[in-house]
Amino acid sequence: MPDDPRRPAIRWLFLSLCLATSWHQAAGSLGDGRRMWQKPKPVPVSLEESFLRDTFPPGFLWGAGTSAFQTEGSWDRDGKGASVWDKFTQWKAADVAADSFARWEEDLRALEYLGVKSYSFSLSWPRLFPDGRARGPPSQPAVEHYNRLINGLLQKRIEPVVTIHHWDLPLVLQEVYGGWKNDSLVGFFEDYAAFCFRTFGDRVGYWLTMHNPYLVAAQGYGAGVHAPGETGGDAAALIVAHNLIRAHAKAWHIYDAHYRPAQKGHVSIVLGSHWVEPPKGQQPIAAAAAAAAVDLCQQSMEAVLGWFANPILGDGDYPPSLKVKHGGLLPAFSAEEKLRVKNTADFFALSFGPNVLRLGRSLPHLGQNVSPDLRRVLAWIKLEYGDLPVLLAEVGWFSEASVGIEDTVALYLMKRFINQALQAVRWDGVRLLGYTAWSLLDGFEWNYGYSVRRGLFYVDFAHPESGRTPKTSAQFYRRVIADDGFPRAEPSPEVEGHFPCDFQWGIADSTLEVRFFPFSPQFTDPHVYSWNRTGDGSLRAVPGLKLHANRSQCTDFLAVRDHVALFASTGATHYRFALNWSLILPRGDLSDVNVEALRYYRCVLSELQKLDLEATVILYYPTRKAPNLGLPGALHASGGWLNSSTADAFRDYAALCYRELGPRVRYWITVNEPNRLTDLYSGGDRRRLAARHLLAAHAKAWRLHEREYARRRASRASLALHADWAEPANPFLLKSHAAAVDRFLLFELGRFLDPLLRPGYEGEGALRIPFSKSEREELRGALSFIALNHFTTRLVSPFPDNVRPKDAGERGCLVLSDPTWPSSGLGQALVPWGLRKVLTWVTERYGPALPVVVTASGVDDRDPVRDGTRQHYLKSYLREALKALRLDGVNLRGFYVWKLQDDLAPQYGLFSSTEQQSKAKASVDVYRQIIARNGFPRDAGSNPCRSTEARPPCSLCAWLSENKALAVFGCCLVLTAVIFAVLAFSAVVNGRKYNGGRRRRGRAALVHSCGGPAVKRTPCAVH
């Protein structure tokens, strides 16, 4: 018997984990799992929160696993008996599979390549005992095979983890006894387990009695999807599960009483689980509804994992929710059976894979969501069943059968699951024994047959002699094992400093809604009205009587001033919005111009100008939501961008906008994201034609602007491209995946920028747009700055040759996302460094001469107030923008946040919707502070763009600002006093003039009456 020098260390790991608590029930209690949903689920907003850089504990059991029926083949070799799966699959389906019965040494070499410390495999019950009865002699070739395998593993210092029964029940036991519906199988299994312990137990440290009994009961005997294919419903499934639990307990007690003292091994059972989350809602729900949602989640977990875990690792009985649900159908444990079943697992062995997760989709109720969140399952187990050691006995996912060795999606799912396990260890204190990647080899995938693959190693089923070829997931797993996880990387240093003083701190919106209402016509109606002339309380115009009316003015539109004030409150300097082409020119030409719409836009620009704010105006903003792709109906009906005349119509429209609005606009965007618009056209030829006409329309509008307006108004024009970054998806296939990234970027950006900025552009292959010579000349240099809309980063891989979709597009690649990246509620990955990379790529390809402006960048956030995801997004993306500016030589001149206000529910807006009173979210203050500091200076108060001249504070200004109402009232009093004083002074002056005049007239009269000729002089009497 070979000696394994690793055995003492592995057993010490297990003992240390077990001794951490006296018994797991001290740290957990049935029903405590509800706490997982009662507290808010953490939402990672940074890579450090979503992906843990750390290593697993020393002695961690990195492993891989297989099962006998799926990989051994040789279904009738050396007298092997038939299993229920042989009959269910019509006898020949798994006759060869991976041929591991004959090629077990190749399996050992595959394990050695990975560097694993354990190998989980199952013994074939019908191979060892064709008739299912273990009291008779076993098949000697089968015993010798498993002895060779175990000994070979130990020689390579790999720990055997042996499953006694993985679904392949001897067919004779099914046909004679009815299979697991008959409690006689409890005794047969007890005998079979005792034989295994006795024969192989001296070299096996970890035993698993059976694998995922839930699927045997629910799928094999209830739904009939698995072997033996019986459709007995809940009644049959409950009986089968009851017998499986009793059989496991019998095996555990046999080992505990007769073999543990000498062999010192450990026994458990593999239990499968899914995971559910309560329904996601935009608005908070009442406490009673929240509690009910939690109860439903708990019941869903109890219906799968708790069905078996509660009796074995809990109180020895079924969960109360199952008793309520099934009533008398649920078998009952006697008091003695409860004691015999309870605590019959030395550690918790968990299966977490697609079989139960896919089935779990039918289990949730009332909007619950099935989620592949391994970390939360592990944390729930700890709360529910205590702080006992956990072995991940099966973790993995399917790949399509057509996928060869390039299993990129499986690689990233493995990365996610392993990191979730690491988070459970380091953040939740779960005592994890090991991780078993499933499976080592491609094999027969049960009811899916050969339509899917799960192996780390590729097997050509038609030619199994060709060996085992490592897939890229095997290479990845090998690296993780060598590193014992994900070691911490050196953090990239943060850059401190300022953006340029003329930096465009902007906010971007889509098409600005023209709100003619509410409308306040201030004295624009010339009519005079009389009220209630007819007794009905109505106003009626007086015929023939009109007054002088004021001209229309911007204050008529009540929404304009409030909207601009909302924007101004952010501290931003530039507002990007789009005009509505189909509203301004309903017929698509100048025969019908909506002057009121133009007046509305002019008023918006005027209000911005009053506040010394700039506008960046988009002429054409295509959207999927708008009818006709945002085009006037007549133009769309005539072919839209497949018709060259649309470019001429766009030039005329641009000329109108330049003339009517141009004096107030310094930055123009002709077309927003034409690279997204062309995707809406089917077929490569139609997409290329649409791209050609869109570029022609831009060039015509740009040439017109440069010729007639640019110099006179100091304005600039460009087009804006959607500019997500792309990374090679598979790090082990860099050459082909890097080529896919190049093609992706050329398609997304180069297809539109190269004709404008690279002389002699012709394009390559499917990317080539057939421009005429005159078109090339008109396109050349038709760009005043480079405008990019950046939101996220993609993973890109080439299409495998045999799975390319019929209409894959000119990109010629698959677009993926790393599930370990943090993401928003709508699934947008938050990858700040992607912004820096796309800016650097554009600069390296087109040079630093032209300014670059990020004309839209943002993320959705469902939090109506705190919006922590957006706060982190703004800080982290702008820091990367500063790195691009300071370290990479990018001529970056602006950054616009998408967007100002929510449409209805909390999403992309810095402010809530008008229905929610336009409340500022926390990210507004974050953005305002960055703008105030003009970046990220070391000294938070420094800003070289501000005037350095010290100015004394204006105390009067401050008082007036704080006491506006009182100041207005005071002004009224002062004005009134001044008016009274003027009136009084005028009265006094006029009074004096009046009295002085009377005296002069009196004297004149006296002279006239007394000064005439007289014969006799007598005194005049004065009265």
Side-chain angles (χ1 to χ4, degrees):
M1 178 175 60
D3 183 36
D4 178 16
R6 291 175 59 257
R7 183 66 57 79
I10 291 172
R11 285 180 175 160
W12 172 250
L13 167 67
F14 184 85
L15 288 173
S16 65
L17 289 171
C18 288
L19 290 174
T21 55
S22 58
W23 177 244
H24 62 271
Q25 289 296 343
S29 179
L30 297 178
D32 280 1
R34 286 180 171 82
R35 286 156 51 189
M36 290 300 302
W37 302 285
Q38 289 170 346
K39 55 186 179 182
K41 180 182 177 182
V43 179
V45 297
S46 67
L47 188 58
E48 292 75 18
E49 294 175 1
S50 67
F51 187 81
L52 175 60
R53 286 279 177 186
D54 207 337
T55 56
F56 285 86
F60 190 75
L61 282 179
W62 293 106
T66 60
S67 76
F69 181 79
Q70 292 180 280
T71 59
E72 280 187 353
S74 304
W75 78 275
D76 59 352
R77 181 174 170 180
D78 297 327
K80 176 188 174 294
S83 73
V84 290
W85 274 95
D86 286 313
K87 182 178 180 180
F88 187 71
T89 58
Q90 300 178 350
W91 307 100
K92 296 280 186 178
D95 56 346
V96 177
D99 202 20
S100 286
F101 186 76
R103 303 183 183 279
W104 60 273
E105 291 176 297
E106 295 179 26
D107 296 350
L108 294 184
R109 287 194 287 272
L111 294 165
E112 201 170 22
Y113 170 87
L114 294 173
V116 295
K117 298 177 182 177
S118 69
Y119 178 46
S120 179
F121 66 94
S122 71
L123 306 173
S124 173
W125 189 349
R127 190 178 296 281
L128 285 164
F129 296 98
D131 64 354
R133 298 170 180 268
R135 293 192 177 183
S139 167
Q140 199 57 37
V143 173
E144 292 172 359
H145 166 72
Y146 293 121
N147 274 328
R148 286 192 299 267
L149 179 57
I150 292 171
N151 293 340
L153 289 168
L154 295 176
Q155 287 172 356
K156 294 183 180 298
R157 302 166 63 86
I158 297 172
E159 178 78 11
V161 178
V162 181
T163 301
I164 296 174
H165 175 51
H166 194 132
W167 302 358
D168 53 345
L169 182 72
L171 182 61
V172 65
L173 297 183
Q174 176 66 33
E175 292 183 337
V176 174
Y177 296 95
W180 286 106
K181 296 195 305 294
N182 192 322
D183 61 4
S184 299
L185 264 74
V186 174
F188 291 136
F189 184 77
E190 181 183 15
D191 295 339
Y192 170 51
F195 165 82
C196 297
F197 297 145
R198 183 170 64 251
T199 306
F200 308 114
D202 57 340
R203 291 153 292 160
V204 176
Y206 294 96
W207 287 100
L208 303 169
T209 56
M210 54 185 68
H211 189 93
N212 205 344
Y214 170 83
L215 290 176
V216 176
Q219 297 289 75
Y221 290 86
V225 179
H226 280 196
E230 295 191 1
T231 55
D234 288 347
L238 293 167
I239 293 171
V240 167
H242 195 70
N243 288 331
L244 287 166
I245 293 169
R246 293 169 61 226
H248 156 76
K250 287 275 190 179
W252 187 90
H253 282 289
I254 284 287
Y255 188 85
D256 192 57
H258 300 286
Y259 301 101
R260 191 189 302 275
Q263 296 178 1
K264 296 181 170 47
H266 314 284
V267 182
S268 188
I269 179 173
V270 179
L271 302 180
S273 185
H274 64 314
W275 181 251
V276 291
E277 295 287 353
K280 295 179 181 179
Q282 298 286 358
Q283 302 296 332
I285 60 175
V294 168
D295 285 340
L296 286 172
C297 289
Q298 178 75 5
Q299 291 169 23
S300 182
M301 294 298 291
E302 289 174 349
V304 180
L305 187 55
W307 188 1
F308 296 86
N310 272 42
I312 295 169
L313 294 145
D315 59 4
D317 204 357
Y318 294 114
S321 60
L322 261 67
K323 294 181 179 181
V324 171
K325 178 180 179 180
H326 297 296
L329 287 178
L330 187 68
F333 291 111
S334 66
E336 182 182 356
E337 282 180 322
K338 290 179 184 178
L339 292 175
R340 293 284 292 174
V341 167
K342 182 180 178 181
N343 297 336
T344 55
D346 301 328
F347 56 94
F348 200 112
L350 177 68
S351 166
F352 193 73
N355 287 310
V356 176
L357 282 168
R358 284 185 173 183
L359 180 62
R361 293 173 184 169
S362 63
L363 297 171
H365 302 284
L366 302 179
Q368 293 169 332
N369 302 292
V370 176
S371 170
D373 197 328
L374 178 56
R375 176 190 172 189
R376 286 176 66 79
V377 175
L378 291 169
W380 185 87
I381 289 170
K382 181 181 178 182
L383 289 172
E384 194 77 8
Y385 301 111
D387 191 19
L388 70 166
V390 179
L391 173 67
L392 291 172
E394 177 194 4
V395 188
W397 207 258
F398 288 139
S399 294
E400 296 300 324
S402 55
V403 174
I405 64 169
E406 189 179 334
D407 57 339
T408 304
V409 174
L411 182 155
Y412 280 98
L413 289 171
M414 173 182 281
K415 178 184 178 183
R416 177 184 186 177
F417 288 142
I418 295 175
N419 202 258
Q420 286 177 343
L422 181 61
Q423 292 172 17
V425 172
R426 297 302 184 191
W427 291 344
D428 305 324
V430 174
R431 296 188 295 134
L432 207 57
L433 274 171
Y435 182 99
T436 307
W438 202 274
S439 71
L440 177 66
L441 309 169
D442 287 335
F444 184 81
E445 290 300 332
W446 308 111
N447 52 311
Y448 297 104
Y450 293 110
S451 65
V452 295
R453 292 174 178 265
R454 290 187 70 184
L456 294 169
F457 287 80
Y458 177 82
V459 176
D460 183 346
F461 299 121
H463 304 93
E465 70 279 0
S466 59
R468 283 85 168 96
T469 306
K471 302 180 184 179
T472 53
S473 58
Q475 298 177 59
F476 172 76
Y477 193 42
R478 182 189 191 191
R479 178 189 293 178
V480 172
I481 293 171
D483 292 338
D484 247 341
F486 307 96
R488 291 183 178 90
E490 287 294 327
S492 61
E494 293 294 345
V495 173
E496 296 174 329
H498 300 91
F499 289 92
C501 291
D502 61 349
F503 196 75
Q504 299 177 32
W505 293 104
I507 294 176
D509 268 339
S510 56
T511 303
L512 185 66
E513 182 181 355
V514 175
R515 299 178 181 177
F516 292 128
F517 299 97
F519 185 66
S520 176
Q522 299 184 15
F523 307 109
T524 60
D525 188 349
H527 294 95
V528 176
Y529 295 87
S530 64
W531 177 74
N532 205 28
R533 285 177 60 189
T534 57
D536 58 358
S538 62
L539 287 171
R540 298 184 181 276
V542 177
L545 186 59
K546 290 186 179 181
L547 300 176
H548 175 71
N550 289 341
R551 296 175 60 188
S552 299
Q553 50 192 315
C554 287
T555 51
D556 297 344
F557 302 118
L558 299 182
V560 169
R561 184 170 293 179
D562 291 343
H563 188 78
V564 173
L566 195 70
F567 165 76
S569 69
T570 64
T573 59
H574 290 68
Y575 182 39
R576 193 211 80 170
F577 65 88
L579 308 177
N580 189 332
W581 185 1
S582 60
L583 179 65
I584 294 173
L585 299 179
R587 298 181 182 177
D589 57 30
L590 300 179
S591 65
D592 184 7
V593 178
N594 188 334
V595 294
E596 277 299 287
L598 284 172
R599 186 166 78 89
Y600 186 93
Y601 290 129
R602 196 180 298 114
C603 289
V604 173
L605 295 170
S606 177
E607 287 299 319
L608 288 169
Q609 200 171 41
K610 288 177 184 177
L611 299 175
D612 199 24
L613 301 172
E614 297 279 1
T616 298
V617 176
I618 300 172
L619 293 172
Y620 173 46
Y621 192 95
T623 175
R624 296 170 187 263
K625 296 180 181 179
N628 306 326
L629 304 179
L631 286 169
L635 295 181
H636 187 266
S638 64
W641 293 109
L642 300 179
N643 190 331
S644 62
S645 65
T646 304
D648 296 324
F650 180 75
R651 178 195 54 211
D652 297 339
Y653 162 62
L656 173 69
C657 296
Y658 293 154
R659 184 176 66 251
E660 296 294 327
L661 307 176
R664 296 177 176 86
V665 179
R666 286 191 61 198
Y667 300 96
W668 292 97
I669 301 290
T670 56
V671 183
N672 186 67
E673 299 189 354
N675 51 345
R676 288 281 74 81
L677 175 58
T678 56
D679 290 344
L680 302 180
Y681 291 89
S682 60
D685 291 339
R686 289 164 61 87
R687 282 190 285 266
R688 282 189 289 274
L689 186 60
R692 176 183 178 180
H693 293 154
L694 281 163
L695 279 168
H698 160 75
K700 290 174 185 294
W702 188 88
R703 293 289 174 194
L704 173 67
H705 174 267
E706 292 300 298
R707 186 170 57 250
E708 299 185 17
Y709 301 100
R711 186 173 299 179
R712 177 156 46 100
R713 295 174 178 171
S715 57
R716 295 183 170 191
S718 182
L719 56 71
L721 297 174
H722 191 97
D724 289 339
W725 179 243
E727 284 285 305
N730 199 312
F732 302 99
L733 298 166
L734 276 179
K735 186 176 180 180
S736 62
H737 284 235
V741 167
D742 290 341
R743 184 178 181 85
F744 176 88
L745 293 173
L746 287 175
F747 182 80
E748 290 289 293
L749 301 176
R751 185 169 48 127
F752 287 87
L753 290 179
D754 281 6
L756 301 170
L757 300 177
R758 287 171 68 99
Y761 167 80
E762 288 294 338
E764 299 176 3
L767 300 181
R768 185 177 183 274
I769 300 175
F771 295 113
S772 67
K773 184 177 179 179
S774 60
E775 285 174 330
R776 290 194 194 97
E777 288 301 317
E778 191 168 39
L779 288 169
R780 183 173 298 170
L783 214 60
S784 305
F785 61 96
I786 298 174
L788 305 174
N789 300 340
H790 174 84
F791 293 85
T792 190
T793 293
R794 315 283 185 178
L795 295 175
V796 172
S797 73
F799 280 113
D801 293 336
N802 54 349
V803 295
R804 183 181 176 89
K806 185 177 180 181
D807 187 19
E810 292 77 17
R811 287 185 187 87
C813 57
L814 284 166
V815 179
L816 314 169
S817 183
D818 186 339
T820 65
W821 286 342
S823 61
S824 67
L826 295 179
Q828 177 183 326
L830 278 66
V831 192
W833 47 260
L835 173 60
R836 179 184 177 187
K837 288 197 172 187
V838 75
L839 292 173
T840 303
W841 185 89
V842 168
T843 298
E844 290 175 349
R845 187 169 180 85
Y846 303 108
L850 283 181
V852 179
V853 179
V854 179
T855 44
S857 186
V859 68
D860 61 287
D861 193 324
R862 292 177 177 172
D863 193 311
V865 180
R866 297 304 308 161
D867 65 346
T869 299
R870 185 175 296 106
Q871 291 184 58
H872 173 77
Y873 183 98
L874 290 175
K875 290 184 283 189
S876 59
Y877 274 64
L878 277 165
R879 282 192 177 276
E880 292 298 319
L882 186 62
K883 290 178 185 178
L885 175 73
R886 297 299 178 194
L887 302 181
D888 306 328
V890 176
N891 187 9
L892 186 63
R893 285 296 180 268
F895 184 94
Y896 290 67
V897 177
W898 174 266
K899 64 179 192 165
L900 182 63
Q901 194 169 14
D902 291 326
D903 294 325
L904 188 61
Q907 203 171 86
Y908 285 95
L910 293 168
F911 293 85
S912 63
S913 64
T914 52
E915 290 79 4
Q916 299 297 324
Q917 290 77 49
S918 303
K919 295 177 181 177
K921 302 176 187 178
S923 56
V924 173
D925 189 53
V926 169
Y927 193 38
R928 188 188 294 118
Q929 289 182 22
I930 296 173
I931 295 172
R933 298 167 184 168
N934 203 39
F936 303 93
R938 180 170 299 179
D939 179 4
S942 71
N943 186 345
C945 301
R946 293 176 181 168
S947 174
T948 57
E949 193 176 311
R951 297 181 180 178
C954 175
S955 57
L956 176 61
C957 297
W959 186 89
L960 288 174
S961 177
E962 294 176 1
N963 301 274
K964 293 178 182 176
L966 187 60
V968 171
F969 180 68
C971 289
C972 292
L973 288 178
V974 170
L975 182 62
T976 303
V978 169
I979 292 172
F980 275 117
V982 170
L983 290 174
F985 178 77
S986 176
V988 169
V989 170
N990 290 334
R992 287 177 178 176
K993 289 181 179 179
Y994 176 76
N995 291 331
R998 287 186 60 187
R999 284 193 293 270
R1000 284 192 297 271
R1001 288 193 297 272
R1003 286 195 294 270
L1006 183 61
V1007 169
H1008 177 74
S1009 60
C1010 300
V1015 177
K1016 185 179 180 178
R1017 295 185 181 271
T1018 56
C1020 291
V1022 179
H1023 299 283

